[in-house]
Amino acid sequence: MSEMLHAVEAAAPVVPGLSERDREILAFERQWWKYAGAKEQAVRELFDLSATRYYQVLNALIDTPEALAADPMLVKRLRRLRATRQRARSARRLSDGGA
């Protein structure tokens, strides 16, 4: 897994207004699928965060103008995926009669 950490660190350009962890999270999201293993396991090993906390941090991060400036394509894609999941959850709740 240290090979993955080095790749994430190398792919994290310095962007004013973003912390080192923020840059590493964006770099990780840009390339996590290239590596073997579960994403949640990689998140725990690289960032020492639970999957739930990681996604809370990620969602807050992609709402910042600094993240958008750092990697517009990635941030827009992540925002689109989040919106799609939110719409799917809302549709399920509506189809379940709001229960």
Side-chain angles (χ1 to χ4, degrees):
M1 191 53 102
S2 65
E3 161 184 322
M4 184 176 179
L5 179 59
H6 293 301
V8 166
E9 289 170 348
V14 175
V15 178
L18 289 180
S19 70
E20 182 177 345
R21 182 179 78 164
D22 292 343
R23 292 190 307 272
E24 289 172 354
I25 287 173
L26 290 175
F28 176 73
E29 284 297 319
R30 204 175 302 119
Q31 63 188 0
W32 71 266
W33 50 270
K34 293 180 183 179
Y35 302 94
K39 183 177 182 181
E40 288 77 16
Q41 179 183 351
V43 163
R44 185 167 299 283
E45 290 177 14
L46 290 172
F47 303 109
D48 194 30
L49 297 171
S50 68
T52 300
R53 182 66 186 137
Y54 173 80
Y55 287 112
Q56 290 170 343
V57 170
L58 176 62
N59 280 312
L61 175 59
I62 65 174
D63 285 335
T64 66
E66 293 84 4
L68 183 61
D71 197 333
M73 289 179 60
L74 173 68
V75 170
K76 288 177 183 178
R77 180 175 60 83
L78 293 172
R79 287 176 178 178
R80 263 192 324 273
L81 289 169
R82 179 179 63 187
T84 299
R85 286 190 302 270
Q86 287 171 338
R87 281 192 299 275
R89 279 193 302 272
S90 293
R92 279 195 306 273
R93 278 194 295 267
L94 290 174
S95 70
D96 290 342

